[in-house]
Amino acid sequence: MPQRRVVTGRSQEPRQRFAEELRHLRAERAVSLRELAEELGWDASNFGKMESGRSLGSPEIVEALDQYYGTPGLLLALWELAVGDPSQFKEQYRRYMMLEAEAVALWQYSVSRPPGLLQTAGYVREALTAGGLVDEELDQQIEARIGRRGVLEGPDAPHFRVILFEGVLRNSLRDPQDWRAQLEYLAETARRPNITLHVLPFGTGLHGLDSTDTMFLRLSDGRTVAYAENDVRGELIEESGKVERLHRTYDDVRDLALTPAESRTFILRMLEEAPCEPST
């Protein structure tokens, strides 16, 4: 196979390419970071972090830059590629992330936290901070995780069925406002036509997924793979017999759960009970 010809000489890595394009466009315009900030209304440090690759920024900032530089849609497209790039995640998850992007249907059982695809920025920040991430790495991982939600959006989005153990809805965040935002987001997504949400209440007894977060992905070639994760390790399961046995266990758990309508009512009741202000 002939070697791929390099046309621009710029990085082929999505995040780095996005940062390079931002630096190139500002150099062409011959403006400083301070002048750019004054023109667009964001702090200069935001643009500095984006140009150095430490942050991807928000879609609002990127759209404003597209308009300012006269590159309609170009920067936003590069931003979307950078946000969705599986290389932002740790090596053990990369193959799973690539398969998730190809999936035509997804099923998940969550033991203690909302699925990553349904987490708000506030939830992600507290979860990652508890895991020890700080500063630029923290911001990058928040952007990457929130970017994953795009998998469930758009006209061709896959169907997603999720079962939440009640403990997910009881283990609140430290910030009451962030926790309310997470509950509201779950209630909102439960109304989407491509998302089916079940709550598995306390008192339903022991079952085969008691301590294991489990995700199933049906791929476009008809195969189904599974990813099972507990507190210490995660495993991508592709052998069809093992996947089938695990899926039967998932179906058994679903039979114990509340219906989608009952589940949404359950979440709305949790919202009514949730505190609005920090306790004193």
Side-chain angles (χ1 to χ4, degrees):
M1 177 181 294
Q3 186 175 8
R4 181 178 178 181
R5 185 166 64 94
V6 177
V7 179
T8 65
R10 297 181 192 169
S11 175
Q12 302 301 301
E13 190 276 314
R15 189 185 191 98
Q16 188 59 36
R17 177 59 182 272
F18 176 64
E20 288 179 0
E21 197 66 34
L22 291 175
R23 295 195 299 270
H24 173 72
L25 288 169
R26 187 167 63 82
E28 280 193 333
R29 185 63 67 95
V31 295
S32 67
L33 289 173
R34 178 179 296 179
E35 290 169 331
L36 185 62
E38 291 173 351
E39 183 71 26
L40 297 184
W42 276 279
D43 191 274
S45 64
N46 290 327
F47 300 111
K49 290 179 180 178
M50 291 167 69
E51 290 188 10
S52 67
R54 290 180 293 161
S55 171
L56 291 174
S58 68
E60 292 78 16
I61 294 178
V62 178
E63 287 175 342
L65 287 167
D66 257 333
Q67 183 174 355
Y68 177 74
Y69 289 130
T71 55
L74 170 64
L75 291 177
L76 190 58
L78 291 174
W79 179 87
E80 289 174 342
L81 289 172
V83 166
D85 179 22
S87 67
Q88 297 179 84
F89 297 88
K90 295 184 183 300
E91 183 66 36
Q92 67 189 91
Y93 298 111
R94 289 185 184 177
R95 176 161 169 73
Y96 167 78
M97 292 296 302
M98 295 175 66
L99 293 173
E100 182 182 79
E102 300 174 13
V104 297
L106 309 95
W107 304 264
Q108 181 159 354
Y109 172 69
S110 291
V111 176
S112 60
R113 294 181 177 181
L117 293 174
L118 299 183
Q119 290 179 5
T120 60
Y123 195 100
V124 173
R125 177 172 293 277
E126 184 166 318
L128 293 178
T129 301
L133 293 188
V134 295
D135 302 330
E136 289 86 359
E137 186 180 7
L138 174 63
D139 292 337
Q140 289 174 11
Q141 288 297 312
I142 291 172
E143 291 167 357
R145 288 203 183 186
I146 295 303
R148 289 178 59 200
R149 299 196 318 204
V151 169
L152 299 177
E153 299 170 357
D156 298 321
H159 184 264
F160 183 33
R161 182 183 297 274
V162 57
I163 305 171
L164 302 178
F165 182 53
E166 184 177 340
V168 172
L169 305 173
R170 298 290 181 186
N171 191 20
S172 60
L173 299 176
R174 295 185 181 91
D175 187 316
Q177 294 300 324
D178 283 345
W179 181 237
R180 288 189 64 84
Q182 178 63 70
L183 291 176
E184 288 169 353
Y185 188 69
L186 289 173
E188 182 270 316
T189 55
R191 300 184 64 177
R192 295 185 191 177
N194 66 314
I195 297 178
T196 302
L197 189 149
H198 301 270
V199 173
L200 180 70
F202 290 145
T204 52
L206 300 178
H207 56 79
L209 300 180
D210 272 327
S211 61
T212 306
D213 273 14
T214 309
M215 172 74 91
F216 300 90
L217 310 174
R218 190 171 78 235
L219 307 177
S220 57
D221 62 6
R223 291 185 302 130
T224 297
V225 301
Y227 187 82
E229 183 177 43
N230 56 30
D231 289 340
V232 297
R233 65 187 296 267
E235 179 186 6
L236 182 64
I237 303 168
E238 300 186 68
E239 197 275 309
S240 59
K242 291 182 180 179
V243 172
E244 178 61 26
R245 288 192 294 274
L246 194 58
H247 207 298
R248 286 199 296 269
T249 303
Y250 177 90
D251 287 343
D252 291 341
V253 174
R254 185 185 63 185
D255 290 343
L256 299 172
L258 301 178
T259 67
E262 292 169 339
S263 297
R264 188 167 188 275
T265 299
F266 191 100
I267 294 172
L268 293 175
R269 189 165 64 247
M270 294 289 300
L271 260 172
E272 293 175 357
E273 299 172 1
C276 296
E277 300 294 338
S279 59
T280 57

